[in-house]
Amino acid sequence: MAIPAEGETIQIHSYKHNGRIHRVWQETTVLKGTNNIVIGANERTMVTESDGRTWLTREPSICYFHAEHWFNIICMLREDGVYYYCNVSSPFVYNNGSLKYIDYDLDVKVFPDMSYTLLDEDEYEEHKRQMGYPEVIDQILHRNVEKLIGWIKQRRGPFAPDFIEVWTNRYEFHRQYKIRE
């Protein structure tokens, strides 16, 4: 698998289990790219929905993707603190300038005080039935929800106290570099 380079601008493509595109983020700056992890950032990037509607993200975000975990984490930097939107998803793949994953409906929203809420359980059950998620996928996804909640409670990965500062500083460096170009 190709690896996106630090400073590169990539797209993020979210698919559904049936192979249909779900959502595309037009521009994300890569802050770290390895075989297992991609950390990116974006601000006011255009998002295109499967029905063609578009919208702009409202705040700067740091995005965390892993090639071995079945979730990704979007850290939204708001005036009143950092909010996290965690998508239960397939591990990512990267090719042709795009990071790609399958969105499996379940989401965990984490608030600045690290309290959290599991979202979209009804949507998950509906899509599981409609798209025929195999039992093995169902088990993997539920295990990864538990792993994700463990990360939140233990302040691991993007939930670690210094994560946001390190990666927002890196993003600011790349933004300043692009302005000078």
Side-chain angles (χ1 to χ4, degrees), residues 89-109:
S89 66
S90 68
F92 80 88
V93 295
Y94 178 78
N95 64 1
N96 297 326
S98 298
L99 183 144
K100 302 171 184 180
Y101 67 91
I102 299 169
D103 180 294
Y104 279 104
D105 315 307
L106 291 172
D107 301 302
V108 178
K109 185 173 183 179

Side-chain angles (χ1 to χ4, degrees), residues 33-47:
T34 70
N35 284 328
N36 285 329
I37 294 173
V38 171
I39 298 173
N42 59 51
E43 181 175 6
R44 299 191 52 75
T45 192
M46 180 72 68
V47 179

Side-chain angles (χ1 to χ4, degrees), residues 9 28-29 38 45 50 63 65 78 82 87 94 99 121 123 128 130 145 147:
T9 300
T28 296
T29 301
V38 171
T45 192
S50 60
C63 312
F65 298 91
R78 297 184 179 160
V82 179
N87 298 291
Y94 178 78
L99 183 144
E121 293 174 276
E123 181 183 359
K128 177 182 167 185
Q130 286 176 352
V145 167
K147 181 184 292 185

Side-chain angles (χ1 to χ4, degrees), residues 37-177:
I37 294 173
V38 171
I39 298 173
N42 59 51
E43 181 175 6
R44 299 191 52 75
T45 192
M46 180 72 68
V47 179
T48 305
E49 300 286 342
S50 60
D51 64 3
R53 286 181 303 120
T54 60
W55 51 277
L56 285 176
T57 59
R58 294 187 308 224
E59 62 268 313
S61 295
I62 305 295
C63 312
Y64 176 91
F65 298 91
H66 203 288
E68 294 179 359
H69 299 306
W70 287 66
F71 52 80
N72 61 64
I73 302 166
I74 311 304
C75 314
M76 298 170 290
L77 313 177
R78 297 184 179 160
E79 287 185 20
D80 62 336
V82 179
Y83 290 77
Y84 302 83
Y85 200 86
C86 311
N87 298 291
V88 177
S89 66
S90 68
F92 80 88
V93 295
Y94 178 78
N95 64 1
N96 297 326
S98 298
L99 183 144
K100 302 171 184 180
Y101 67 91
I102 299 169
D103 180 294
Y104 279 104
D105 315 307
L106 291 172
D107 301 302
V108 178
K109 185 173 183 179
V110 184
F111 300 90
D113 66 359
M114 290 296 153
S115 62
Y116 59 88
T117 305
L118 181 62
L119 305 171
D120 301 329
E121 293 174 276
D122 291 346
E123 181 183 359
Y124 174 78
E125 290 301 326
E126 181 182 336
H127 286 166
K128 177 182 167 185
R129 191 177 61 257
Q130 286 176 352
M131 295 183 220
Y133 298 172
E135 182 61 29
V136 67
I137 294 290
D138 185 60
Q139 292 171 3
I140 289 169
L141 297 174
H142 282 91
R143 275 197 311 269
N144 276 267
V145 167
E146 294 305 314
K147 181 184 292 185
L148 178 59
I149 290 169
W151 279 29
I152 295 164
K153 290 178 178 177
Q154 297 167 16
R155 308 290 191 267
R156 289 187 58 198
F159 308 105
D162 62 341
F163 182 90
I164 296 300
E165 182 179 356
V166 166
W167 295 108
T168 54
N169 287 343
R170 195 74 169 145
Y171 182 45
E172 190 57 36
F173 168 80
H174 284 287
R175 285 179 23 163
Q176 293 301 318
Y177 182 76

